Amino acid sequence: MKEFEPVSVVNCSNCGFPMRQYNPNSMMMVCESCGTRTGDNEQPPTYKPEIPNNPLFKLHAFFDMDGTTWQVIGCQSYAGVVEEWDKEDDAWERTPWHYHTWWVINSARELAWIVQDKTGYNWSRKAKITSGIPEGDISYEVGRWSLMSAVGEFSYRPTEDEQVLTYEKDNKSLEILLDEQGNNKEIEAFEAVKIEPTDLLAGFGKTEVIASIKRAGLAIKLAFATIICLVLGFFGMSMMEQTLMTVPSTTINSQLLKKPIDLGSFTLDKKGLVEFSMSGSIGSGNGSFDGDLVVKDSDQSTVAEVPVSLWRESGRDSDGPWTESQTHDAPRVVLPAGDRYQLSLLPDELKNWSQVTLRGTITKNVVSLLPIILGGITALLLAFFIMRIRRKRIRKETGI
Amino acid sequence: MSKLTLIMIILFCAALVLLPLWASWQGMGEATVTKERDSSGRILYVGSRGWAGGGPSTGK
């Protein structure tokens, strides 16, 4: 980008630094070297005003936005407090805040302002004043600002102790420049238009940074897509479950305890996770049933003993009466392939209830949930990690 | 983020889909009974938890 031609170059009266003026309407310049103001025959201010350290905006830097080339010609830094009405506390809430206003000019010598604060960058466009000063209106955020630093050229004469009062609502603000007595000196209205960080980076020609941030965004989407794939895969595999056998309705009473009850047989053609899903019609009141489903091979050797437990408990606590129960139990076990497995039930204990009736299904190709959960958590952590890295990169490259 | 990092993340995500799905299909994380043979050739069912598994099977 070709540098704009300055309309004049004025040497600083204090240090001789050549101060370039780009806006023909500028009324005052502040030396970027020593802080001395044009028109002042005094010594430089007690402190040296500094341009804030910004990775993009520097004095006299160029950038493109919406096909227009802009050049930075000045910067003002304000600090103060924002007062916002807290409906819960019924009082004004005060938050310390600060912001910078970057003065920019285009090749047609039109002025514009970009406001930078913790939340981002906004074009600050002049608007028509459509209402009076909303003094005491709790729907507005009220800002009380002091000028901390001004460097560059300005189309008015900012004083060293400049005070500004702002009323802001819905991205529209009324800015009141106060005089030394705190009276209203000048009123202007502005409208804030958000600038996306990537648009700003593109404007400053940071194409590689944008590509890097886009890649990070793609990686975040990939991590979330991984979670979706895991969930879809889980449900897809669940559809491949097959019922090996149905456990017939079997009633257990105290006479049948400790005696094996034959439930039937099933064949497992290959090793896999088998679920023993058992439901019971339990007795009224508190009680419990415990037993084992015993799986034996064709040689009557015990392959596995799978516990089944049904219960109901009730009581009373400080919240009142409560009841908890388990009428369904579905233990799982990975079994080796077997030509014929014999399934029997060995009732172990029946408390308080006179009988319990069991029925259920034995299912193969059951999917274990634990690896899916661990994979999903890992993908989620990966997504958060990349989001954090991306956020840090944007902050580093844009200063917000 | 560099292109190489993105490629590594793509591969990692692919593994993060396939490995858990495969592990789920294998029933990882659940109680397991494996069929083993002792020195005399008898089958032993060995459970990964105390309540699973059984004694030796003769004749096989």
Side-chain angles (χ1 to χ4, degrees):
Chain A
M1 279 171 275
K2 193 169 177 286
E3 190 173 339
F4 298 160
E5 280 295 317
V7 292
S8 70
V9 179
V10 180
N11 289 329
C12 174
S13 59
N14 180 54
C15 69
F17 186 87
M19 294 185 286
R20 288 166 288 172
Q21 180 184 346
Y22 292 92
N23 179 11
N25 299 320
S26 285
M27 294 174 67
M28 197 190 84
M29 297 175 74
V30 180
C31 177
E32 62 193 277
S33 174
C34 69
T36 302
R37 295 152 181 254
T38 52
D40 289 348
N41 293 320
E42 301 165 6
Q43 290 298 307
T46 48
Y47 68 95
K48 183 189 163 193
E50 297 276 358
I51 282 275
N53 186 19
N54 186 295
L56 296 175
F57 286 88
K58 318 276 182 202
L59 200 58
H60 303 140
F62 285 90
F63 63 97
D64 279 321
M65 290 294 274
D66 301 323
T68 304
T69 301
W70 298 90
Q71 186 176 13
V72 180
I73 60 167
C75 179
Q76 292 170 295
S77 299
Y78 292 89
V81 290
V82 174
E83 295 175 354
E84 190 178 8
W85 185 257
D86 189 327
K87 288 175 185 169
E88 289 179 2
D89 293 346
D90 217 24
W92 289 97
E93 192 178 83
R94 293 161 63 88
T95 310
W97 205 258
H98 68 272
Y99 71 91
H100 309 295
T101 300
W102 297 94
W103 289 56
V104 296
I105 197 166
N106 64 15
S107 58
R109 312 286 170 166
E110 293 169 326
L111 265 182
W113 299 270
I114 290 178
V115 174
Q116 173 201 354
D117 68 4
K118 290 181 222 172
T119 62
Y121 291 91
N122 291 284
W123 283 111
S124 187
R125 296 198 167 132
K126 274 201 173 178
K128 280 186 177 176
I129 299 172
T130 55
S131 64
I133 299 169
E135 208 168 349
D137 188 337
I138 59 173
S139 65
Y140 283 81
E141 282 182 8
V142 183
R144 300 178 193 280
W145 309 103
S146 300
L147 180 65
M148 307 306 290
S149 163
V151 178
E153 56 179 290
F154 305 98
S155 56
Y156 78 112
R157 290 188 177 278
T159 56
E160 274 194 58
D161 57 347
E162 182 181 291
Q163 303 291 312
V164 178
L165 181 65
T166 60
Y167 294 89
E168 189 177 337
K169 184 167 80 169
D170 301 331
N171 293 327
K172 290 179 180 170
S173 63
L174 204 61
E175 300 195 3
I176 304 165
L177 185 63
L178 304 176
D179 64 14
E180 288 166 0
Q181 285 75 41
N183 299 317
N184 299 347
K185 185 178 170 186
E186 194 178 326
I187 303 176
E188 287 182 308
F190 292 92
E191 184 174 4
V193 179
K194 178 96 181 150
I195 305 174
E196 291 301 323
T198 48
D199 291 342
L200 207 57
L201 288 167
F204 279 90
K206 304 263 185 179
T207 48
E208 181 46 44
V209 175
I210 294 171
S212 174
I213 290 170
K214 281 184 178 171
R215 281 195 288 270
L218 178 63
I220 292 166
K221 286 177 186 164
L222 268 174
F224 283 115
T226 300
I227 297 171
I228 293 169
C229 287
L230 285 172
V231 173
L232 292 177
F234 174 75
F235 285 111
M237 289 196 301
S238 298
M239 292 169 73
M240 296 166 77
E241 288 180 1
Q242 286 180 10
T243 302
L244 286 170
M245 64 169 283
T246 302
V247 177
S249 183
T250 307
T251 300
I252 316 290
N253 55 36
S254 55
Q255 280 78 42
L256 295 173
L257 293 178
K258 312 287 186 188
K259 296 170 189 167
I261 302 166
D262 185 36
L263 299 176
S265 62
F266 62 87
T267 301
L268 196 63
D269 51 3
K270 61 179 180 181
K271 176 190 170 190
L273 183 60
V274 177
E275 183 177 87
F276 301 82
S277 176
M278 302 297 288
S279 299
S281 300
I282 58 178
S284 58
N286 292 346
S288 66
F289 165 77
D290 288 296
D292 286 323
L293 287 167
V294 182
V295 183
K296 292 186 175 182
D297 68 5
S298 54
D299 276 346
Q300 295 301 304
S301 290
T302 302
V303 178
E305 292 178 356
V306 185
V308 175
S309 180
L310 306 177
W311 48 266
R312 178 190 284 136
E313 283 182 345
S314 60
R316 177 177 284 274
D317 60 15
S318 57
D319 293 331
W322 57 267
T323 300
E324 289 181 359
S325 63
Q326 176 173 286
T327 59
H328 176 253
D329 202 2
R332 295 168 161 194
V333 63
V334 177
L335 292 179
D339 291 340
R340 192 158 195 83
Y341 283 129
Q342 193 67 37
L343 184 67
S344 59
L345 174 67
L346 185 63
D348 186 39
E349 195 174 41
L350 190 63
K351 278 186 185 172
N352 297 336
W353 297 331
S354 60
Q355 63 175 46
V356 61
T357 303
L358 294 174
R359 73 193 70 79
T361 51
I362 314 302
T363 310
K364 72 170 181 176
N365 295 342
V366 178
V367 185
S368 169
L369 194 57
L370 183 67
I372 304 277
I373 292 173
L374 291 178
I377 290 172
T378 308
L380 197 62
L381 290 176
L382 178 68
F384 285 142
F385 176 71
I386 301 170
M387 282 164 83
R388 187 175 160 79
I389 296 282
R390 183 174 180 266
R391 184 63 237 159
K392 280 178 84 172
R393 184 74 194 270
I394 290 174
R395 188 177 296 136
K396 183 188 165 196
E397 298 294 342
T398 65
I400 54 167
Chain B
M1 176 179 288
S2 67
K3 288 177 185 171
L4 180 64
T5 310
L6 180 63
I7 291 168
M8 287 171 67
I9 287 174
I10 290 171
L11 293 175
F12 182 71
C13 286
L16 209 51
V17 171
L18 296 176
L19 288 178
L21 289 179
W22 174 81
S24 289
W25 186 251
Q26 294 296 313
M28 280 188 188
E30 305 284 356
T32 304
V33 175
T34 53
K35 191 191 281 187
E36 296 175 7
R37 289 181 187 273
D38 66 5
S39 55
S40 62
R42 293 183 308 174
I43 289 175
L44 296 171
Y45 292 108
V46 181
S48 65
R49 290 183 187 170
W51 50 266
S57 169
T58 55
K60 279 193 176 178

